Amino acid sequence: MAHADSLSRACATIPATAGIGLRSPHGREIAETRPAIGWFEVHSENYFGRGGAPLRTLERIRADYPLSLHGVGMSLGSVDETHADHLDRLKDLIARIEPGLVSEHLSWSSYGGTFLNDLLPLPYTEEALEHLVARIQRVQETLGLRILIENPSSYLEYRHSTLPEAEFLVEAARRSGCGILLDVNNVYVSCRNHGWSALDYLRAIPQDLVEELHLAGHTVNRLGDRQILIDTHDRPVCAAVWQLFGKTLDLIGPRPTLIEWDTDLPDLQTLLTEADRAGAFLEVRHVRAA
């Protein structure tokens, strides 16, 4: 009962401020110190258990902060059947946590019942688009809510793609009724890897579809005689992505913005400092809009 009472006092709506990804090494510290931050995001699959310490800690944090759920395992673009147990567990978690936003990736990661560790890109064709839209609609009908889909970071392109990635993303959202989680680092990484214009990409995304932004760090590797950017989430947001974030806000306006950092995880204060920097960008746009 105490849990239900505390949930009712916390606002479920994700504010257009900065948040950070909640990772298990920081869970207890956050629950006990209640840092000044607008919201948190967790990977849904990490809380698919029916109980245990991680879920209890998440409930303590949810009592004080809005939360969003970000999935990495739904494999929306796969031709495999949608995994019913996965959706059931996500639906249970949604009922328990009452998140402000629920998102998944524009990708696929399973074939013939074999699950892969990577979020793989789709071919951008009309056939793939129709398949993806039908999958998103089934997921939304099952969950009983609107989801967001996140633009991928990619390193290879399909030769038979016929649509630009941004157009494919927008059409998937328009036709299915879902929203867009726009990862600014992913835009930068993919555009650098493929020689696309990041500004043209951003200008192709209607602002009314975007409900959340992500920022993260990436690494720069060499592949033969060329440079390739890898979306590693293991370091601070780079200067070029901060600059692109500012242009994104100019085009789209303030949105809930998440600092993602998943490997080589720093201490909590480092994440909060990164969030403060994102918050400063957002505050400027809030003032301009007022």
Side-chain angles (χ1 to χ4, degrees), residues 30-177:
I30 290 168
E32 292 177 351
T33 63
R34 300 170 63 184
I37 186 81
W39 56 287
F40 292 97
E41 184 164 279
V42 298
H43 287 160
S44 310
E45 291 82 0
N46 290 341
Y47 298 92
F48 275 7
R50 307 296 186 192
L55 196 51
R56 288 197 296 273
T57 299
L58 185 66
E59 288 175 334
R60 285 180 64 189
I61 294 170
R62 172 64 185 90
D64 295 320
Y65 299 94
L67 287 174
S68 67
L69 295 179
H70 187 47
V72 295
M74 198 178 291
S75 193
L76 277 174
S78 173
V79 295
D80 287 352
E81 288 295 319
T82 306
H83 203 286
D85 183 62
H86 187 105
L87 287 181
D88 287 344
R89 289 176 181 270
L90 179 56
K91 194 171 183 176
D92 288 347
L93 183 62
I94 290 169
R96 189 164 191 160
I97 297 301
E98 297 180 312
L101 295 168
V102 177
S103 56
E104 255 292 345
H105 292 83
L106 175 59
S107 65
W108 63 278
S109 55
S110 70
Y111 179 73
T114 299
F115 288 84
L116 309 167
N117 286 329
D118 294 310
L119 300 170
L120 300 168
L122 281 75
Y124 299 135
T125 64
E126 186 63 34
E127 182 183 21
L129 182 59
E130 290 180 5
H131 173 73
L132 178 68
V133 167
R135 297 267 290 197
I136 295 172
Q137 288 174 330
R138 283 200 295 274
V139 166
Q140 292 184 139
E141 288 167 3
T142 301
L143 298 179
L145 52 74
R146 183 176 190 247
I147 67 169
L148 311 181
I149 52 172
E150 178 184 342
N151 56 299
S153 58
S154 60
Y155 316 104
L156 298 170
E157 293 184 86
Y158 293 92
R159 290 177 179 170
H160 58 287
S161 288
T162 56
L163 299 170
E165 180 176 291
E167 181 179 339
F168 188 91
L169 176 68
V170 170
E171 281 301 304
R174 289 279 192 225
R175 297 185 194 183
S176 69

Side-chain angles (χ1 to χ4, degrees), residues 194-213:
H194 303 311
W196 307 337
S197 164
L199 278 180
D200 286 350
Y201 192 113
L202 293 176
R203 289 174 180 139
I205 309 295
Q207 61 176 302
D208 64 295
L209 291 178
V210 180
E211 297 188 29
E212 183 180 348
L213 301 173

Side-chain angles (χ1 to χ4, degrees), residues 204-226:
I205 309 295
Q207 61 176 302
D208 64 295
L209 291 178
V210 180
E211 297 188 29
E212 183 180 348
L213 301 173
H214 274 186
L215 294 168
H218 60 262
T219 59
V220 181
N221 291 2
R222 294 210 66 81
L223 186 63
D225 60 353
R226 61 173 291 213

